[in-house]
Amino acid sequence: MNPRAAAHRILGEVRRGALSDRAASRILPAVDPADRGLVLDIAFGCLRLRARLDTWIRACADRPPSRMDRAVRDWLRIGAYQLTELRTPDHAAVGETVGAARSALGRGRAGYVNAVLRALARIRDTDSGAGPNALAGAGPFPDPDVDPVGHLCSWGSHPEWLVRRWLARWALADVRRLVEHQNRPPAVVVRMLTDEDPAPPDGVELEPVPGWPRSFRLKKGLPAIVLSHLRAVIQDPAASAVVDYAGGRLEEPVLDVCAAPGTKALGLAAEYGPPVVALDISHRRLARLGAPARRLELPVSAAVADARRLPVAAAGTVLADVPCTGTGVLRRRADARWRLEQRGLDDLVVLQREIVDACAAAVRPGGLLVYSTCSLEREENEEQVDAFLDRRSDYRREPPPAGARSDCVTSRGDLFMRPWLTGTDGAYAARLRRIA
């Protein structure tokens, strides 16, 4: 399949409600392996930078993108991404895109795509709007000093409600850095499950991630080859930090609730030694844990269970990695930022409360409950824990384990990973001990 046509199909499936990674997994097998990287770059880049690309398109077209035929708009985003982000030569970005579009749209609508993209190439060169200059307000984007919200929503390509939430909590400079971080494609990071230096196979290059022992960035090679040769998992340092934050000797039995796809369960078993039971409501996602557990020979078993109704009465340790908005991992989920709504956040807070209450009931006196999210939002993190402690007088916050990085621990002892400072995903965790 033509790589630009494949990217267009991914965008179309996401528009119709599919998750971007699932859409890509269905479509990529029809693409030449040499072109698959380009397909993912274009498709996921168009999703992450949708608002930025639409601002460019709006400056060149006779109507706003919201009033365009959806298929035409997706082709324009594909061309705009190549012209402004990949800096693909004009003849290739425009010619290849229009050629692929003509097969799907016909000559008339493809001619419209051609006209808009050629206009975009002209204003891009005239205004020098792409690249660092646009961060200073060049091109069709608001001046960041005059209209910081408009700039973060258009050039920064984030929903306005989320930008305003973050600005109410953090300094403008920090929010800018966070937005820029979330717009960069993430690296693949390998977490070693032993203290030995990795000996990667031929064709694989790894480099240490500064500040995160046993974490290595994959510079060259395929993740599957790495995992087939090394005692390791694919895991961002933020997720590894949650495993480390569980800390010390874990009382058995150990449960990882909402566990799929299970890399934290593998980390707990490898790091601390006890058997771990991974529970999740999704049989399909949980099934992915079986192969790595067997490969690594780790004592991890799995069972399908609703975290609000746990079939356990006296666990020693429970890690509750609850469903959340995922605002700390938006760079990994290309389409997620456009699915989020305040109403969805409110619904998740209710679900998290139900899960943490069920997990608390499953922990025996003296046991440990570790509550975690990949969210940056207060309601899902410290406010959720505060409300839980108000309900449960038999629980108390416990200090972080020895060795926890001080720059990632709050004044209350909770783990909080701020992506613009750590260069990782965002994450939160709290240690809650049931009083014996």
Side-chain angles (χ1 to χ4, degrees), residues 89-251:
D90 293 0
H91 69 274
V94 178
E96 294 290 337
T97 300
V98 172
R102 187 177 294 116
S103 300
L105 301 177
R107 297 185 63 86
R109 289 191 295 169
Y112 181 78
V113 171
N114 179 67
V116 174
L117 292 181
R118 291 193 179 281
L120 195 160
R122 289 194 297 272
I123 72 162
R124 177 206 62 194
D125 295 335
T126 301
D127 293 342
S128 298
N133 288 336
L135 292 174
F141 302 94
D143 188 310
D145 298 322
V146 176
D147 182 8
V149 172
H151 186 264
L152 291 169
C153 294
S154 57
W155 175 262
S157 196
H158 274 64
E160 182 176 345
W161 74 275
L162 198 54
V163 167
R164 291 191 181 277
R165 281 179 61 87
W166 290 345
L167 286 173
R169 183 177 182 187
W170 296 304
L172 173 59
D174 289 336
V175 176
R176 283 176 175 167
R177 291 169 64 190
L178 172 59
V179 164
E180 291 168 11
H181 175 85
Q182 302 282 42
N183 284 339
R184 288 192 289 269
V188 175
V189 176
V190 176
R191 161 79 165 187
M192 295 297 298
L193 298 181
T194 68
D195 290 323
E196 299 175 1
D197 288 334
D202 292 342
V204 171
E205 291 184 17
L206 299 173
E207 65 176 6
V209 179
W212 301 102
R214 291 196 281 169
S215 290
F216 296 83
R217 189 176 294 108
L218 180 60
K219 292 186 64 180
K220 180 182 177 182
L222 297 176
I225 295 177
V226 175
L227 296 182
S228 67
H229 286 77
L230 299 178
R231 192 169 179 78
V233 294
I234 303 299
Q235 189 175 67
D236 186 82
S240 301
V242 172
V243 173
D244 295 341
Y245 183 77
R249 187 173 64 88
L250 302 183
E251 297 291 337

Side-chain angles (χ1 to χ4, degrees), residues 259-326:
T263 54
K264 290 188 179 73
L266 296 172
L268 290 172
E271 188 71 23
Y272 305 113
V276 177
V277 179
L279 303 176
D280 199 275
I281 199 170
S282 170
H283 180 277
R284 180 187 61 81
R285 296 185 69 234
L286 197 59
R288 295 163 56 187
L289 177 58
R294 290 189 295 271
R295 172 178 61 84
L296 297 166
E297 299 181 333
L298 289 173
V300 177
S301 56
V304 176
D306 186 333
R308 296 167 295 181
R309 291 176 286 277
L310 291 175
V312 180
T317 306
V318 174
L319 170 60
D321 191 27
V322 299
C324 66
T325 55

